[in-house]
Amino acid sequence: MSQSIQFSAPSRTPHLLHLPQSRFHRPLSSFSFRRFSKYTPIRASSSPSPSPDLDSSSSSQVLLSPNGTGASDERSVVATAISTDTVGIEVDTVTEAELKENGFRSTRRTKLICTIGPATCGFEQLETLAEGGMNVARLNMCHGTRDWHRDVIRSVRRLNEEKGFAVAIMMDTEGSEIHMGDLGGESSAKAEDGETWTFTVRAFDSSRPERTISVSYDGFAEDVRVGDELLVDGGMVRFEVIEKIGPDVKCKCTDPGLLLPRANLTFWRDGSLVRERNAMLPTISSKDWLDIDFGIAEGVDFIAVSFVKSAEVINHLKSYLAARSRGGDIGVIAKIESIDSLTNLEEIILASDGAMVARGDLGAQIPLEQVPAAQQRIVQVCRALNKPVIVASQLLESMIEYPTPTRAEVADVSEAVRQRSDALMLSGESAMGQFPDKALAVLRSVSLRIERWWREEKRYEATPLQAIGSTFSDKISEEICNSAAKMANNLGVDAVFVYTTNGHMATLVSRCRPDCPIFAFTTTTSVRRRLNLQWGLIPFRLSFSDDMESNLNKTFSLLKSRGMIKSGDLVIAVSDMLQSIQVMNVP
C-alpha cells in the first residue's frame, strides 16, 4: 500500500523541520509539503483510490481556444466542459510520437530555434521544420515587410492549431547599430578580394550604382578614417578604408565573402573597436517601436532586443509591454552582442526573461579568441539566475551552401549542448540556406547524442546552484524543485510532472537539468508555448484543480490512453498551487 505524508509549517516563521528516524519505519511513496497558518500534527495515511468520477463529463474542464491566432484571440479563452478523453490534453505531436516509439529517455532536452526567411516561409516548409524539431520560429525584423511577417505568424499559428504543435514565435528587433541597406533589392552580393566598394549615406532615387552600399548611420563618413578596417556581419567580409569623398567612403575588400541585406557594420582602428557616436545611439529605434507594436498586435511570444546596453532598456520595454499587451505575457530576450552588454551582464540578464549569445556581432566587438569564454560565462549566468539562454550565430554556417556541416561546426554545436544551453538557433542556414531541413536535422541529432552521452557518463551537476528565491514562498518552491531533480537522478525516475499556472515552477526544475524529461502541465496556450524555449520541458495544455490526487488520476488516464506512459512508470510530481512533491508509480 502506498503512503502519503504531509508536513506542515507555520506561515509566519521560516524554519527547518527535523523528524525522528522512527517515523519512517516504512518506505514512502509520496511526500507533500504545505503551509498552514498554525502548527498541525504530522499525519500518515494510505493513498486514496482513484476518483470514481474520473470518466464523467464533469471531471475535466479544458480550455479551448485557437492556438494563438493573435493577442486578442489568446485572451478570449473559454472554459468548456468535455469528457476526459484524448481531446482533454494538448502536446507536441513529434514529442508524442517519440515517447510512444522510444520511451522517456529518447526525448531531446535542448530546444531548437529556426530563423524564418524566403527558404522556409511557406506553410509546407514550416511544417517540415516543426516535424524536424523546431520549437521556436524567429522573425528577423531587419528583413521583410510587416505584411510578410504577419503571413508567417499566421502560418505558424495555423500549423499549431491544425497539426498539434506548440511552436513559439520570437520577433527580433533590428536595433540602432550601423547597418547596410537592402542592396537595391538583391538577395545578396559577392565581394571579391581586392575589389573597391563604396559605402555611402546617400539615398538613391534611381538604380543603385554598381558595388555601392548604403549605410543607415548618417555620421558614418565623418567617424571613419582612412586605414580603418570595416567588418560586415561580424567579420564575414572585411574591407579597408582607402578614401573618403564627401558622403562616400571607398573601401577595398581584404576578406571576400557574401554580403547580405541589412547586415551589421563595425569598424576597427589600430586593433580597437571604434564606437564614438555609434555608442550613443538608442538601443530601441523608432522603427523598433513600430515593430514592437506590430508584435504586440500579432501576439508574438518573445521579443529579442538587439544591442542591449543596460537593464534600464529591458525594464522600460517590459513596462511598455505590460501596459500595451493586457497582461505583459510577452517574454523579453536580451541579445548579448556588445561590449556594453558584457560589462552589465548580470543586471541585464536579471531584468530580462532570457538571453541570446549573438556570437556574430559579439565577435566583431571583442577579440575572436575571447568569444568562447564569453559564451560560457553568459550560459552560466543565465543558468544561475534561472533565465533561458540561446546560443546563436554561425552554428552551421557552411550549410547555407553545402548539405553537410564541417566537423568543426559539429564540435561547436556539441560544446553548446555540453554547456547545457537551453536552445540552439539557426540563422541564415534556415532563412536563406539551400538545406534548412538538413541543418535542423544536424542540430537535433548532435543534441540527442551529446545529451545521451551526458546521461551515460552520469555527469551530474557538481556546482550547486545559488538560491534565487526572494520570498519565503519562492524559497519553498525552489527547494522543492531542487529536491525533485535530485530525487529524479538518484531514483532513476522516468519523468517529472510539474503542474504550473504561470510556468515558473517548471523553469525551476529545468534549471536543475535532471536526467529525465520534465512534463510541464499548464492551463493556458501562451504559457505552454513560452515553456517550449526551456531546456528539458515538454509542455502540455491541461486543465487542473488544487486537488493533486484528481490531477494525477486524470493525467495518468489521458497519457495512458495515448500510449505516452504505461503502468509501472515511476514519476515525481510537483505543483506550484500547493507547493507539493510526490513520488509514485503509474497505476
Side-chain angles (χ1 to χ4, degrees):
M1 185 190 317
S2 63
Q3 291 187 347
S4 175
I5 297 292
Q6 178 171 277
F7 298 98
S8 304
S11 60
R12 48 194 170 91
T13 306
H15 74 286
L16 294 176
L17 181 62
H18 298 281
L19 298 173
Q21 292 296 324
S22 60
R23 296 289 298 178
F24 297 93
H25 60 280
R26 295 192 205 166
L28 303 179
S29 63
S30 67
F31 302 84
S32 294
F33 300 84
R34 300 188 186 183
R35 298 177 59 202
F36 296 87
S37 59
K38 61 181 180 178
Y39 286 99
T40 55
I42 301 169
R43 298 184 288 115
S45 62
S46 300
S47 297
S49 58
S51 174
D53 63 347
L54 179 62
D55 295 326
S56 67
S57 61
S58 63
S59 64
S60 177
Q61 299 290 324
V62 179
L63 297 173
L64 299 178
S65 74
N67 198 1
T69 54
S72 59
D73 291 333
E74 186 69 26
R75 290 183 290 268
S76 61
V77 177
V78 179
T80 305
I82 64 173
S83 62
T84 303
D85 54 21
T86 56
V87 181
I89 194 168
E90 291 184 8
V91 62
D92 184 279
T93 53
V94 172
T95 301
E96 180 179 2
E98 288 180 350
L99 287 169
K100 288 180 179 178
E101 295 173 8
N102 304 312
F104 290 99
R105 300 286 171 170
S106 68
T107 58
R108 170 176 44 83
R109 314 298 199 267
T110 308
K111 300 307 178 74
L112 306 179
I113 303 173
C114 295
T115 301
I116 308 303
T120 49
C121 60
F123 185 82
E124 292 76 14
Q125 291 94 336
L126 290 169
E127 183 176 3
T128 299
L129 292 179
E131 291 173 347
M134 176 178 67
N135 302 107
V136 181
R138 171 180 174 254
L139 301 176
N140 188 350
M141 301 307 289
C142 288
H143 309 284
T145 65
R146 293 191 185 99
D147 287 339
W148 183 89
H149 289 295
R150 182 181 292 107
D151 289 341
V152 173
I153 291 172
R154 294 181 178 178
S155 293
V156 173
R157 298 304 193 215
R158 175 187 159 203
L159 181 70
N160 287 343
E161 184 178 359
E162 295 181 2
K163 305 293 183 178
F165 294 103
V167 177
I169 294 175
M170 176 185 297
M171 190 190 79
D172 199 328
T173 63
E174 181 175 338
S176 297
E177 299 295 308
I178 304 174
H179 292 276
M180 290 171 30
D182 60 4
L183 300 179
E186 297 293 330
S187 60
S188 63
K190 187 67 178 292
E192 300 289 355
D193 189 25
E195 288 182 345
T196 299
W197 286 69
T198 300
F199 291 80
T200 182
V201 297
R202 288 185 295 167
F204 297 100
D205 295 330
S206 56
S207 61
R208 176 177 58 89
E210 187 178 4
R211 295 180 188 169
T212 300
I213 297 174
S214 59
V215 179
S216 63
Y217 175 40
D218 290 339
F220 178 72
E222 300 174 36
D223 280 353
V224 299
R225 300 177 186 173
V226 173
D228 286 350
E229 186 178 29
L230 183 65
L231 276 62
V232 179
D233 200 11
M236 299 306 294
V237 188
R238 293 174 183 255
F239 294 88
E240 179 186 352
V241 177
I242 58 176
E243 187 180 10
K244 293 170 58 176
I245 307 174
D248 301 334
V249 178
K250 301 287 185 179
C251 301
K252 182 177 70 174
C253 180
T254 56
D255 280 341
L258 198 64
L259 300 170
L260 301 177
R262 314 297 297 172
N264 178 255
L265 298 176
T266 55
F267 49 102
W268 290 64
R269 182 178 305 142
D270 300 326
S272 299
L273 178 70
V274 178
R275 304 176 73 195
E276 297 192 7
R277 277 177 285 180
N278 187 36
M280 304 303 294
L281 294 173
T283 300
I284 303 178
S285 67
S286 57
K287 175 185 179 298
D288 291 338
W289 284 115
L290 293 175
D291 290 338
I292 288 168
D293 286 338
F294 165 80
I296 293 172
E298 293 300 321
V300 300
D301 301 291
F302 301 97
I303 293 178
V305 184
S306 298
F307 297 100
V308 176
K309 299 180 177 71
S310 69
E312 182 180 358
V313 174
I314 300 296
N315 291 328
H316 179 47
L317 175 57
K318 293 182 79 170
S319 297
Y320 183 78
L321 292 176
R324 297 294 293 270
S325 61
R326 303 184 211 175
D329 57 353
I330 298 177
V332 176
I333 306 297
K335 295 178 67 176
I336 310 301
E337 52 189 340
S338 67
I339 294 175
D340 291 319
S341 59
L342 287 177
T343 302
N344 304 311
L345 183 63
E346 286 79 6
E347 68 174 47
I348 290 173
I349 293 177
L350 189 61
S352 70
D353 299 305
M356 181 189 297
V357 190
R359 304 179 306 176
D361 290 320
L362 184 61
Q365 299 215 0
I366 64 175
L368 292 175
E369 62 271 17
Q370 294 181 15
V371 173
Q375 172 180 314
Q376 184 163 350
R377 179 190 168 207
I378 297 166
V379 171
Q380 290 173 344
V381 172
C382 285
R383 176 87 176 281
L385 297 177
N386 193 31
K387 306 295 175 119
V389 59
I390 304 160
V391 175
S393 304
Q394 303 166 359
L395 286 172
L396 300 172
E397 190 79 9
S398 68
M399 293 194 73
I400 292 177
E401 299 184 67
Y402 301 100
T404 56
T406 67
R407 305 313 179 254
E409 289 172 334
V410 172
D412 180 39
V413 172
S414 300
E415 176 62 14
V417 177
R418 190 196 63 79
Q419 291 176 358
R420 318 307 291 276
S421 304
D422 287 87
L424 308 175
M425 191 180 90
L426 295 175
S427 299
E429 303 96 327
S430 58
M432 53 169 288
Q434 299 182 44
F435 309 97
D437 52 335
K438 291 185 177 180
L440 182 61
V442 169
L443 288 190
R444 183 178 180 179
S445 62
V446 173
S447 298
L448 285 167
R449 182 65 189 90
I450 298 302
E451 291 166 0
R452 187 168 76 247
W453 166 80
W454 189 277
R455 293 192 296 272
E456 291 171 351
E457 295 293 320
K458 299 296 181 184
R459 293 179 176 269
Y460 301 141
E461 302 301 324
T463 304
L465 297 171
Q466 68 184 57
I468 57 175
S470 58
T471 67
F472 185 45
S473 178
D474 288 343
K475 291 175 182 178
I476 291 177
S477 295
E478 188 177 338
E479 290 298 330
I480 287 174
C481 292
N482 292 345
S483 299
K486 184 176 181 180
M487 292 171 67
N489 291 340
N490 293 341
L491 299 177
V493 305
D494 295 298
V496 174
F497 286 11
V498 185
Y499 295 86
T500 176
T501 53
N502 57 17
H504 178 63
M505 205 156 186
T507 70
L508 289 174
V509 179
S510 170
R511 176 186 185 231
C512 298
R513 304 295 195 257
D515 274 359
C516 63
I518 307 161
F519 287 20
F521 301 97
T522 185
T523 57
T524 57
T525 301
S526 59
V527 173
R528 179 187 171 213
R529 289 198 306 265
R530 284 185 60 180
L531 290 178
N532 220 3
L533 181 60
Q534 302 270 168
W535 187 96
L537 294 185
I538 302 175
F540 295 74
R541 192 177 67 139
L542 172 73
S543 68
F544 47 77
S545 66
D546 290 343
D547 184 348
M548 278 297 291
E549 179 198 352
S550 174
N551 295 335
L552 288 167
N553 285 332
K554 183 168 75 171
T555 305
F556 290 155
S557 176
L558 291 170
L559 294 182
K560 286 175 68 175
S561 68
R562 297 177 73 148
M564 299 175 68
I565 60 173
K566 62 184 183 299
S567 296
D569 286 337
L570 183 62
V571 300
I572 292 177
V574 299
S575 166
D576 63 8
M577 297 165 293
L578 301 177
Q579 293 186 312
S580 63
I581 177 171
Q582 296 176 288
V583 185
M584 69 207 68
N585 292 102
V586 177

